[in-house]
Structure formats: structure tokens, C-alpha cells
Coordinates of all heavy atoms in Angstrom, one line a residue:
M291 N 64.7 37.9 5.6 CA 64.8 36.5 5.8 C 63.4 36.0 6.2 O 62.7 36.6 7.0 CB 65.7 36.2 7.0 CG 65.9 34.8 7.3 SD 67.2 34.5 8.5 CE 66.3 33.7 9.7
T292 N 62.9 35.0 5.5 CA 61.6 34.4 5.7 C 61.6 33.5 7.0 O 62.5 32.7 7.1 CB 61.2 33.6 4.5 OG1 61.1 34.5 3.4 CG2 59.8 33.1 4.7
K293 N 60.7 33.7 7.8 CA 60.5 32.8 9.0 C 59.5 31.7 8.7 O 58.5 32.0 8.1 CB 60.0 33.7 10.2 CG 61.0 34.7 10.7 CD 60.5 35.4 11.9 CE 61.5 36.4 12.3 NZ 61.0 37.1 13.6
K294 N 59.8 30.5 9.1 CA 59.0 29.4 8.9 C 58.1 29.2 10.1 O 58.5 29.4 11.3 CB 59.8 28.1 8.7 CG 60.7 28.2 7.5 CD 61.6 27.0 7.3 CE 62.7 27.2 6.2 NZ 62.2 27.4 4.9
I295 N 56.9 28.8 9.9 CA 55.9 28.6 11.0 C 55.0 27.4 10.7 O 54.7 27.1 9.5 CB 55.1 29.8 11.2 CG1 54.2 29.7 12.5 CG2 54.2 30.2 10.0 CD1 53.7 31.1 12.9
I296 N 54.7 26.6 11.7 CA 53.8 25.5 11.7 C 52.6 25.9 12.6 O 52.8 26.5 13.6 CB 54.5 24.3 12.3 CG1 55.6 23.7 11.4 CG2 53.4 23.2 12.6 CD1 55.1 23.0 10.2
I297 N 51.4 25.6 12.1 CA 50.2 25.9 12.9 C 49.8 24.6 13.6 O 49.6 23.6 12.9 CB 49.1 26.5 12.0 CG1 49.6 27.8 11.3 CG2 47.8 26.7 12.8 CD1 48.6 28.3 10.2
I298 N 49.7 24.7 14.9 CA 49.2 23.5 15.6 C 47.7 23.6 15.8 O 47.2 24.4 16.5 CB 49.9 23.5 17.0 CG1 51.4 23.4 16.8 CG2 49.4 22.3 17.8 CD1 52.2 23.5 18.2
G299 N 47.1 22.6 15.2 CA 45.6 22.6 15.2 C 45.1 22.9 13.8 O 45.3 24.0 13.2
A300 N 44.5 21.9 13.2 CA 44.0 22.0 11.8 C 42.4 22.1 11.7 O 41.8 21.3 11.0 CB 44.5 20.9 10.9
G301 N 41.9 23.0 12.5 CA 40.5 23.2 12.5 C 40.1 24.6 12.1 O 41.0 25.3 11.5
G302 N 39.0 25.1 12.4 CA 38.5 26.5 12.0 C 39.4 27.5 12.6 O 39.8 28.5 11.8
Q303 N 39.9 27.4 13.8 CA 40.7 28.4 14.4 C 42.1 28.4 13.6 O 42.7 29.5 13.4 CB 41.0 28.1 15.9 CG 41.7 29.2 16.6 CD 41.7 28.9 18.1 OE1 41.1 28.0 18.6 NE2 42.4 29.8 18.9
G304 N 42.6 27.3 13.3 CA 43.9 27.2 12.5 C 43.8 27.8 11.2 O 44.7 28.4 10.7
E305 N 42.6 27.6 10.6 CA 42.3 28.1 9.3 C 42.4 29.7 9.4 O 43.0 30.4 8.5 CB 41.0 27.7 8.7 CG 40.7 28.1 7.3 CD 39.4 27.5 6.8 OE1 38.7 26.8 7.6 OE2 39.1 27.8 5.6
N306 N 41.7 30.2 10.3 CA 41.8 31.7 10.5 C 43.1 32.2 10.8 O 43.5 33.3 10.3 CB 40.8 32.1 11.7 CG 39.4 31.9 11.4 OD1 39.0 31.9 10.2 ND2 38.5 31.7 12.4
I307 N 43.9 31.5 11.6 CA 45.3 31.9 11.9 C 46.1 31.9 10.6 O 46.9 32.8 10.3 CB 46.0 31.0 12.9 CG1 45.3 31.3 14.3 CG2 47.4 31.2 13.0 CD1 45.8 30.5 15.4
S308 N 45.9 30.9 9.7 CA 46.7 30.9 8.5 C 46.3 32.1 7.6 O 47.2 32.7 6.9 CB 46.4 29.6 7.7 OG 45.1 29.5 7.2
L309 N 45.1 32.5 7.6 CA 44.6 33.7 6.8 C 45.4 34.9 7.4 O 45.8 35.8 6.6 CB 43.1 33.9 6.9 CG 42.2 32.9 6.2 CD1 40.8 33.0 6.7 CD2 42.3 33.2 4.7
L310 N 45.5 35.1 8.7 CA 46.2 36.2 9.3 C 47.7 36.2 8.9 O 48.2 37.3 8.6 CB 46.0 36.2 10.8 CG 44.5 36.5 11.3 CD1 44.4 36.3 12.8 CD2 44.1 37.9 10.9
I311 N 48.3 35.1 9.1 CA 49.7 34.9 8.8 C 50.1 35.3 7.3 O 51.1 35.9 7.1 CB 50.3 33.6 9.2 CG1 50.2 33.3 10.7 CG2 51.7 33.4 8.7 CD1 50.4 31.9 11.2
E312 N 49.2 34.9 6.4 CA 49.4 35.2 5.0 C 49.4 36.7 4.8 O 50.1 37.1 3.8 CB 48.3 34.6 4.2 CG 48.4 33.1 4.1 CD 47.2 32.5 3.3 OE1 46.2 33.2 3.1 OE2 47.3 31.3 3.0
Q313 N 48.8 37.5 5.6 CA 48.8 38.9 5.4 C 50.1 39.6 5.9 O 50.3 40.8 5.6 CB 47.6 39.5 6.2 CG 46.2 39.0 5.7 CD 46.0 39.1 4.3 OE1 46.2 40.1 3.7 NE2 45.6 38.0 3.6
I314 N 50.9 38.9 6.6 CA 52.1 39.5 7.2 C 53.3 39.1 6.3 O 53.6 37.8 6.1 CB 52.3 38.9 8.6 CG1 51.1 39.3 9.5 CG2 53.6 39.6 9.2 CD1 51.1 38.6 10.8
K315 N 54.1 40.0 5.8 CA 55.2 39.7 5.0 C 56.3 39.0 5.8 O 56.5 39.3 7.0 CB 55.8 40.9 4.3 CG 54.9 41.5 3.3 CD 55.5 42.7 2.6 CE 54.4 43.2 1.6 NZ 54.9 44.4 0.9
G316 N 57.1 38.1 5.2 CA 58.2 37.5 5.9 C 57.9 36.2 6.5 O 58.8 35.6 7.3
W317 N 56.8 35.6 6.4 CA 56.4 34.3 7.0 C 56.0 33.3 5.9 O 55.4 33.6 5.0 CB 55.2 34.5 7.9 CG 55.6 35.2 9.2 CD1 55.4 36.6 9.4 CD2 56.1 34.7 10.4 NE1 55.8 36.9 10.6 CE2 56.2 35.8 11.3 CE3 56.4 33.4 10.8 CZ2 56.7 35.6 12.6 CZ3 56.9 33.3 12.1 CH2 57.1 34.4 12.9
E318 N 56.5 32.1 6.2 CA 56.2 30.9 5.3 C 55.5 29.9 6.2 O 56.1 29.3 7.1 CB 57.5 30.4 4.7 CG 57.2 29.2 3.9 CD 58.5 28.5 3.4 OE1 59.6 29.0 3.7 OE2 58.4 27.4 2.8
I319 N 54.2 29.6 5.8 CA 53.5 28.6 6.5 C 53.9 27.2 5.9 O 53.7 27.0 4.7 CB 52.0 28.7 6.4 CG1 51.5 30.1 7.0 CG2 51.3 27.6 7.0 CD1 50.1 30.5 6.7
L320 N 54.5 26.4 6.7 CA 54.9 25.0 6.3 C 53.8 24.0 6.3 O 53.8 23.1 5.5 CB 56.1 24.5 7.1 CG 57.3 25.3 7.2 CD1 58.3 24.7 8.1 CD2 57.9 25.5 5.8
G321 N 52.8 24.3 7.1 CA 51.6 23.4 7.2 C 51.1 23.4 8.6 O 51.4 24.2 9.4
F322 N 50.2 22.4 8.8 CA 49.5 22.2 10.1 C 49.9 20.8 10.7 O 50.3 19.9 10.0 CB 48.0 22.2 9.9 CG 47.4 23.4 9.4 CD1 47.3 23.7 8.0 CD2 46.8 24.3 10.2 CE1 46.7 24.8 7.5 CE2 46.2 25.5 9.8 CZ 46.2 25.7 8.4
V323 N 49.9 20.8 12.0 CA 50.0 19.5 12.7 C 48.7 19.4 13.5 O 48.2 20.4 14.0 CB 51.2 19.3 13.5 CG1 52.4 19.2 12.7 CG2 51.4 20.4 14.6
D324 N 48.2 18.2 13.7 CA 46.9 17.9 14.4 C 47.0 16.5 14.9 O 47.4 15.6 14.2 CB 45.7 18.2 13.5 CG 44.5 18.4 14.3 OD1 44.0 17.4 14.9 OD2 43.9 19.5 14.3
D325 N 46.5 16.3 16.1 CA 46.5 14.9 16.6 C 45.3 14.0 16.1 O 45.2 12.9 16.5 CB 46.5 15.0 18.2 CG 47.9 15.3 18.7 OD1 48.9 15.2 18.0 OD2 48.0 15.7 19.9
D326 N 44.5 14.6 15.3 CA 43.4 13.8 14.7 C 44.0 13.1 13.5 O 44.3 13.6 12.5 CB 42.3 14.8 14.2 CG 41.1 14.0 13.6 OD1 41.2 12.8 13.2 OD2 40.0 14.7 13.4
I327 N 44.1 11.7 13.7 CA 44.8 10.9 12.7 C 44.1 10.9 11.4 O 44.7 10.7 10.3 CB 45.1 9.5 13.2 CG1 43.8 8.8 13.5 CG2 46.1 9.5 14.4 CD1 43.9 7.3 13.8
N328 N 42.8 11.2 11.4 CA 42.1 11.3 10.1 C 42.4 12.5 9.3 O 42.1 12.5 8.1 CB 40.5 11.2 10.4 CG 40.1 10.0 11.1 OD1 40.5 8.9 10.7 ND2 39.4 10.1 12.2
K329 N 43.1 13.4 9.8 CA 43.4 14.7 9.0 C 44.7 14.5 8.3 O 45.0 15.3 7.4 CB 43.4 15.9 10.0 CG 42.1 16.3 10.5 CD 42.1 17.5 11.4 CE 40.7 17.9 11.8 NZ 40.7 19.1 12.6
K330 N 45.6 13.6 8.8 CA 46.9 13.5 8.3 C 46.9 13.2 6.8 O 46.1 12.4 6.3 CB 47.7 12.4 9.0 CG 49.1 12.2 8.4 CD 49.9 11.1 9.1 CE 51.3 11.1 8.5 NZ 52.1 10.0 9.2
G331 N 47.7 13.9 6.0 CA 47.8 13.7 4.6 C 46.8 14.5 3.8 O 46.9 14.6 2.6
N332 N 45.9 15.2 4.5 CA 44.9 16.1 3.8 C 45.6 17.5 3.8 O 46.7 17.7 4.2 CB 43.6 16.1 4.6 CG 42.9 14.8 4.5 OD1 42.8 14.2 3.4 ND2 42.4 14.3 5.6
T333 N 44.8 18.4 3.2 CA 45.2 19.8 3.2 C 44.2 20.7 3.8 O 43.0 20.3 3.8 CB 45.6 20.3 1.8 OG1 44.4 20.2 1.0 CG2 46.7 19.5 1.1
L334 N 44.6 21.8 4.3 CA 43.7 22.9 4.8 C 44.2 24.2 4.1 O 45.3 24.6 4.3 CB 43.7 23.0 6.3 CG 42.8 24.0 6.9 CD1 41.4 23.7 6.6 CD2 43.0 23.9 8.5
R335 N 43.3 24.8 3.3 CA 43.7 26.0 2.6 C 45.0 25.8 1.8 O 45.9 26.7 1.7 CB 43.9 27.2 3.5 CG 42.5 27.5 4.2 CD 42.5 28.9 4.8 NE 42.6 29.9 3.7 CZ 43.7 30.6 3.4 NH1 44.8 30.4 4.1 NH2 43.7 31.4 2.4
S336 N 45.1 24.7 1.2 CA 46.3 24.2 0.3 C 47.6 24.0 1.1 O 48.6 23.6 0.5 CB 46.6 25.3 -0.8 OG 47.2 26.4 -0.3
Y337 N 47.5 24.0 2.4 CA 48.7 23.6 3.3 C 48.5 22.3 3.8 O 47.5 21.8 4.1 CB 48.8 24.6 4.5 CG 49.0 26.0 4.1 CD1 48.0 27.0 4.3 CD2 50.2 26.5 3.5 CE1 48.2 28.3 3.9 CE2 50.4 27.8 3.1 CZ 49.4 28.7 3.4 OH 49.6 30.0 3.0
P338 N 49.6 21.5 3.7 CA 49.5 20.1 4.1 C 49.3 19.9 5.7 O 49.8 20.7 6.5 CB 50.9 19.5 3.8 CG 51.8 20.7 3.8 CD 51.0 21.8 3.4
I339 N 48.6 18.9 6.0 CA 48.4 18.5 7.4 C 49.5 17.4 7.6 O 49.4 16.3 7.0 CB 47.0 18.1 7.8 CG1 46.0 19.2 7.5 CG2 47.0 17.6 9.2 CD1 44.6 18.9 7.7
L340 N 50.5 17.7 8.3 CA 51.7 16.9 8.3 C 51.7 15.7 9.3 O 52.7 14.9 9.3 CB 52.9 17.8 8.7 CG 53.0 19.0 7.7 CD1 53.9 20.1 8.3 CD2 53.6 18.5 6.4
G341 N 50.7 15.6 10.1 CA 50.7 14.5 11.1 C 50.4 15.0 12.5 O 50.0 16.2 12.6
S342 N 50.6 14.1 13.5 CA 50.4 14.5 14.8 C 51.5 15.4 15.3 O 52.6 15.5 14.7 CB 50.3 13.3 15.7 OG 51.6 12.7 15.9
I343 N 51.3 16.0 16.5 CA 52.3 17.0 17.0 C 53.5 16.2 17.4 O 54.6 16.6 17.0 CB 51.6 17.6 18.3 CG1 50.4 18.5 17.9 CG2 52.7 18.4 19.1 CD1 49.6 18.9 19.1
Q344 N 53.4 15.1 18.1 CA 54.6 14.4 18.5 C 55.3 13.8 17.2 O 56.5 13.8 17.1 CB 54.2 13.3 19.5 CG 55.4 12.6 20.0 CD 55.1 11.6 21.2 OE1 53.9 11.4 21.5 NE2 56.1 11.1 21.8
E345 N 54.5 13.2 16.4 CA 55.1 12.7 15.1 C 56.0 13.7 14.4 O 57.1 13.4 14.0 CB 54.0 12.1 14.2 CG 54.4 11.5 12.9 CD 53.2 11.1 12.1 OE1 52.1 11.6 12.3 OE2 53.4 10.1 11.3
Y346 N 55.4 14.8 14.2 CA 56.1 15.9 13.4 C 57.4 16.4 14.1 O 58.5 16.4 13.6 CB 55.2 17.0 13.0 CG 55.9 18.1 12.2 CD1 56.2 17.9 10.8 CD2 56.4 19.3 12.8 CE1 56.9 18.8 10.1 CE2 57.0 20.2 12.0 CZ 57.3 20.0 10.7 OH 58.0 20.9 9.9
F347 N 57.2 16.9 15.4 CA 58.2 17.6 16.1 C 59.3 16.7 16.5 O 60.5 17.1 16.6 CB 57.7 18.4 17.2 CG 56.9 19.7 16.8 CD1 55.5 19.7 16.8 CD2 57.6 20.7 16.2 CE1 54.8 20.8 16.3 CE2 56.9 21.9 15.8 CZ 55.5 21.9 15.8
S348 N 59.0 15.4 16.8 CA 60.1 14.5 17.2 C 61.0 14.1 16.1 O 62.1 13.7 16.2 CB 59.5 13.2 17.9 OG 58.8 12.5 16.9
S349 N 60.5 14.3 14.8 CA 61.3 13.9 13.7 C 62.1 15.1 13.2 O 63.0 14.9 12.3 CB 60.4 13.4 12.5 OG 59.6 14.5 12.0
L350 N 62.0 16.3 13.7 CA 62.8 17.4 13.2 C 64.2 17.2 13.6 O 64.5 16.8 14.7 CB 62.2 18.7 13.9 CG 61.0 19.3 13.3 CD1 60.6 20.6 14.2 CD2 61.0 19.6 11.9
E351 N 65.1 17.6 12.7 CA 66.5 17.6 13.0 C 66.9 19.0 13.2 O 66.7 19.9 12.4 CB 67.3 16.9 12.0 CG 67.0 15.4 11.9 CD 67.8 14.7 10.9 OE1 68.9 15.2 10.5 OE2 67.4 13.6 10.4
Y352 N 67.6 19.3 14.3 CA 68.1 20.7 14.6 C 69.6 20.7 14.5 O 70.3 19.9 15.1 CB 67.5 21.1 16.0 CG 68.1 22.4 16.4 CD1 67.8 23.6 15.7 CD2 68.9 22.6 17.5 CE1 68.3 24.8 16.0 CE2 69.5 23.8 17.8 CZ 69.2 24.9 17.1 OH 69.7 26.1 17.5
D353 N 70.1 21.7 13.7 CA 71.5 21.9 13.6 C 71.8 23.2 14.1 O 71.5 24.3 13.6 CB 71.9 21.8 12.1 CG 73.4 21.9 11.9 OD1 74.1 22.3 12.9 OD2 73.8 21.7 10.8
E354 N 72.4 23.3 15.3 CA 72.8 24.5 16.0 C 73.6 25.4 15.2 O 73.6 26.7 15.2 CB 73.4 24.2 17.3 CG 73.1 25.2 18.4 CD 73.7 24.7 19.8 OE1 73.1 23.8 20.4 OE2 74.7 25.3 20.2
T355 N 74.5 24.9 14.3 CA 75.4 25.7 13.5 C 74.7 26.4 12.4 O 75.2 27.4 11.9 CB 76.5 24.8 12.9 OG1 75.8 23.9 12.0 CG2 77.3 24.1 13.9
K356 N 73.5 26.0 12.1 CA 72.7 26.7 11.0 C 71.8 27.7 11.6 O 71.2 28.5 10.8 CB 71.9 25.7 10.2 CG 72.7 24.7 9.4 CD 71.9 23.8 8.6 CE 72.7 22.9 7.8 NZ 71.9 21.9 7.0
N357 N 71.7 27.8 12.9 CA 70.8 28.7 13.6 C 69.4 28.7 13.0 O 68.8 29.7 12.7 CB 71.3 30.1 13.5 CG 70.6 31.1 14.5 OD1 70.1 30.6 15.5 ND2 70.6 32.3 14.2
N358 N 68.9 27.5 12.7 CA 67.6 27.4 12.1 C 66.6 27.2 13.2 O 66.7 26.6 14.3 CB 67.5 26.2 11.2 CG 67.9 24.9 11.9 OD1 68.5 24.9 12.9 ND2 67.6 23.8 11.2
E359 N 65.5 28.0 13.1 CA 64.4 28.0 14.1 C 63.1 27.8 13.4 O 62.9 28.0 12.2 CB 64.4 29.4 14.8 CG 64.0 30.5 14.0 CD 64.1 31.9 14.8 OE1 64.8 32.0 15.7 OE2 63.3 32.8 14.4
L360 N 62.2 27.2 14.2 CA 60.8 26.9 13.6 C 59.9 27.6 14.6 O 59.9 27.4 15.8 CB 60.6 25.5 13.6 CG 59.2 25.0 13.1 CD1 58.9 25.5 11.7 CD2 59.1 23.5 13.2
N361 N 59.0 28.4 14.1 CA 58.0 29.1 14.9 C 56.7 28.3 14.9 O 56.4 27.6 13.9 CB 57.8 30.5 14.4 CG 59.0 31.3 14.4 OD1 59.3 31.9 15.4 ND2 59.7 31.4 13.3
V362 N 56.0 28.4 15.9 CA 54.7 27.7 16.0 C 53.6 28.7 16.4 O 53.8 29.7 17.1 CB 54.6 26.5 17.0 CG1 55.6 25.4 16.6 CG2 54.9 26.9 18.4
A363 N 52.4 28.5 15.8 CA 51.2 29.2 16.2 C 50.2 28.2 16.8 O 49.9 27.2 16.1 CB 50.6 29.9 15.0
F364 N 49.7 28.4 18.0 CA 48.8 27.6 18.6 C 47.4 27.9 18.2 O 47.0 29.1 18.3 CB 48.8 27.6 20.2 CG 50.0 26.9 20.7 CD1 51.2 27.6 20.9 CD2 49.9 25.6 21.1 CE1 52.3 26.9 21.5 CE2 51.0 24.9 21.7 CZ 52.2 25.6 21.8
S365 N 46.6 26.9 17.7 CA 45.2 27.1 17.4 C 44.4 26.0 18.1 O 43.5 25.4 17.5 CB 45.0 27.2 15.9 OG 45.2 25.9 15.3
I366 N 44.7 25.8 19.4 CA 44.1 24.8 20.2 C 43.1 25.5 21.1 O 43.5 26.4 21.8 CB 45.1 24.0 21.0 CG1 46.1 23.3 20.0 CG2 44.5 22.9 21.8 CD1 47.3 22.7 20.7
G367 N 41.9 25.1 21.0 CA 40.8 25.7 21.8 C 40.8 25.3 23.3 O 40.2 25.9 24.1
N368 N 41.4 24.1 23.6 CA 41.4 23.6 24.9 C 42.7 24.0 25.6 O 43.8 23.6 25.3 CB 41.3 22.1 24.9 CG 41.2 21.4 26.3 OD1 42.0 21.8 27.2 ND2 40.3 20.5 26.4
S369 N 42.6 24.8 26.7 CA 43.9 25.3 27.3 C 44.7 24.2 28.0 O 45.9 24.3 28.0 CB 43.5 26.4 28.4 OG 42.7 25.9 29.4
Q370 N 44.1 23.2 28.5 CA 44.8 22.1 29.1 C 45.7 21.4 28.0 O 46.8 21.0 28.2 CB 43.9 21.1 29.8 CG 43.3 21.7 31.0 CD 42.3 20.7 31.7 OE1 41.7 19.9 31.1 NE2 42.2 20.8 33.0
V371 N 45.1 21.1 26.9 CA 45.8 20.5 25.7 C 46.9 21.4 25.2 O 48.0 21.0 24.9 CB 44.8 20.1 24.6 CG1 45.6 19.6 23.4 CG2 43.8 19.1 25.1
E372 N 46.6 22.7 25.2 CA 47.6 23.7 24.7 C 48.8 23.7 25.7 O 49.9 23.7 25.3 CB 47.0 25.1 24.7 CG 48.0 26.1 24.2 CD 47.4 27.5 24.0 OE1 46.2 27.6 23.8 OE2 48.2 28.4 24.0
N373 N 48.5 23.7 27.0 CA 49.6 23.7 28.0 C 50.5 22.4 27.9 O 51.7 22.4 28.0 CB 49.0 23.9 29.4 CG 48.5 25.2 29.7 OD1 48.9 26.2 29.1 ND2 47.6 25.3 30.7
K374 N 49.8 21.3 27.7 CA 50.5 20.0 27.6 C 51.4 20.0 26.4 O 52.5 19.6 26.4 CB 49.4 18.9 27.5 CG 50.0 17.5 27.3 CD 48.9 16.4 27.2 CE 49.5 15.1 26.9 NZ 48.5 14.1 26.7
T375 N 50.8 20.6 25.2 CA 51.6 20.7 24.0 C 52.8 21.6 24.2 O 53.9 21.3 23.7 CB 50.7 21.2 22.8 OG1 49.6 20.3 22.7 CG2 51.5 21.2 21.6
E376 N 52.6 22.7 24.8 CA 53.7 23.7 25.1 C 54.8 23.0 25.9 O 56.0 23.2 25.6 CB 53.2 25.0 25.7 CG 54.2 26.0 25.9 CD 53.7 27.3 26.5 OE1 52.5 27.4 26.8 OE2 54.5 28.2 26.8
N377 N 54.4 22.3 26.9 CA 55.4 21.6 27.8 C 56.2 20.6 27.0 O 57.4 20.4 27.1 CB 54.7 21.0 29.0 CG 54.2 22.0 30.0 OD1 54.7 23.1 30.0 ND2 53.2 21.6 30.8
Y378 N 55.5 19.9 26.1 CA 56.1 18.9 25.2 C 57.2 19.5 24.3 O 58.3 19.1 24.2 CB 55.1 18.1 24.4 CG 55.8 17.2 23.3 CD1 56.5 16.1 23.7 CD2 55.7 17.6 22.0 CE1 57.1 15.3 22.7 CE2 56.3 16.8 21.0 CZ 57.0 15.7 21.4 OH 57.6 15.0 20.4
L379 N 56.7 20.6 23.7 CA 57.7 21.3 22.7 C 58.8 21.9 23.5 O 60.0 21.8 23.0 CB 56.9 22.4 22.0 CG 55.8 22.0 21.0 CD1 55.2 23.2 20.4 CD2 56.4 21.1 19.9
N380 N 58.6 22.4 24.7 CA 59.8 22.9 25.5 C 60.7 21.8 25.9 O 61.9 22.1 26.2 CB 59.3 23.7 26.7 CG 58.6 25.0 26.3 OD1 59.0 25.6 25.3 ND2 57.7 25.5 27.2
S381 N 60.3 20.6 26.0 CA 61.1 19.5 26.5 C 62.0 19.0 25.4 O 63.0 18.3 25.7 CB 60.3 18.3 27.0 OG 59.7 17.6 25.9
L382 N 61.7 19.4 24.1 CA 62.6 18.9 23.0 C 63.8 19.7 22.9 O 63.8 20.9 23.2 CB 61.8 19.0 21.7 CG 60.5 18.2 21.6 CD1 59.8 18.5 20.3 CD2 60.8 16.7 21.7
D383 N 64.9 19.1 22.5 CA 66.2 19.9 22.3 C 66.2 20.5 20.9 O 67.1 20.0 20.1 CB 67.3 18.9 22.6 CG 68.6 19.6 22.7 OD1 68.7 20.9 22.9 OD2 69.7 19.0 22.4
K384 N 65.3 21.3 20.6 CA 65.2 21.9 19.3 C 64.9 23.4 19.4 O 64.4 23.8 20.4 CB 64.2 21.1 18.4 CG 64.5 19.7 18.3 CD 63.5 18.9 17.6 CE 64.0 17.4 17.7 NZ 63.3 16.5 16.9
N385 N 65.1 24.1 18.4 CA 64.9 25.6 18.4 C 63.5 25.9 17.9 O 63.3 26.4 16.8 CB 65.9 26.3 17.6 CG 66.1 27.8 17.9 OD1 65.6 28.2 18.9 ND2 66.7 28.5 17.0
I386 N 62.5 25.6 18.8 CA 61.1 25.8 18.4 C 60.7 27.0 19.3 O 60.8 27.0 20.5 CB 60.2 24.6 18.8 CG1 60.7 23.4 18.0 CG2 58.8 24.9 18.5 CD1 60.1 22.1 18.4
I387 N 60.1 28.0 18.6 CA 59.7 29.3 19.2 C 58.2 29.4 19.2 O 57.6 29.3 18.2 CB 60.4 30.4 18.5 CG1 61.9 30.3 18.6 CG2 60.0 31.8 19.2 CD1 62.7 31.3 17.8

């Protein structure tokens, strides 16, 4: 079963993380999210930049009966922003790992 993953942060660190994930079988990178509005709609290493963190994750629909989960990889260099983002994701009623 392929696991889906979103990379949070569409900069150099996110690019490096995508390279690593591609080397591991069983993972599908859906794209990046980044709060820099100028990046939305662009691509990084052929993966789409899907919008801001809040914009993307608040629009996800979670169906408990399908047991669908979405994994995230943090590529945020600022620990305060990373903690704030983690708290936001944990507050959502969705299966984000």
C-alpha cells in the first residue's frame, strides 16, 4: 500500500526531503505546501506547490470509514513556526500523521 505524503515547506530543505522520500519505496509525494503566496501554483522538482498550510489542510475531507491517512514531512527551518504548524495540524479533526 502506497502512503501519501505532503511536504511542508517548499524551499531548499523541502527539495532535499523530496529527494530522500523518492528513494524509499511505498511513498507518493502529493506536493508541497508553503505559506509564501508567491509559490502557490508553481512546482518544485515537478511536484505542485498546493497553497498555504491552512488553505490546503483545512480543505481536506476525512472519511473515517476509509481509514485514509495523510503523512507530512516538515521542512521548516524555524522551530517556532514548526511548533505552531504542528499544533495547528493536531487541532484539525483529520487523520494527519
Side-chain angles (χ1 to χ4, degrees):
M291 184 169 121
T292 302
K293 294 183 179 184
K294 299 176 187 304
I295 191 164
I296 291 286
I297 301 171
I298 299 176
Q303 190 174 352
E305 185 174 7
N306 290 336
I307 288 173
S308 70
L309 287 165
L310 293 171
I311 293 171
E312 288 174 347
Q313 303 304 311
I314 306 169
K315 292 182 181 181
W317 288 93
E318 176 188 358
I319 300 172
L320 300 178
F322 294 87
V323 293
D324 197 292
D325 285 342
D326 181 344
I327 60 171
N328 296 314
K329 293 182 179 181
K330 181 180 179 180
N332 293 314
T333 60
L334 181 60
R335 298 200 62 258
S336 76
Y337 298 108
I339 301 173
L340 303 163
S342 72
I343 295 164
Q344 187 170 7
E345 178 183 27
Y346 180 78
F347 288 103
S348 66
S349 69
L350 286 179
E351 292 185 21
Y352 173 65
D353 183 349
E354 214 172 285
T355 62
K356 292 183 181 176
N357 194 26
N358 54 346
E359 64 183 29
L360 178 62
N361 299 276
V362 297
F364 284 90
S365 66
I366 301 171
N368 182 317
S369 62
Q370 290 178 331
V371 174
E372 183 176 336
N373 289 337
K374 181 180 173 185
T375 303
E376 184 177 358
N377 289 337
Y378 169 71
L379 294 177
N380 288 333
S381 74
L382 299 175
D383 188 24
K384 300 174 185 189
N385 196 14
I386 301 171
I387 300 172

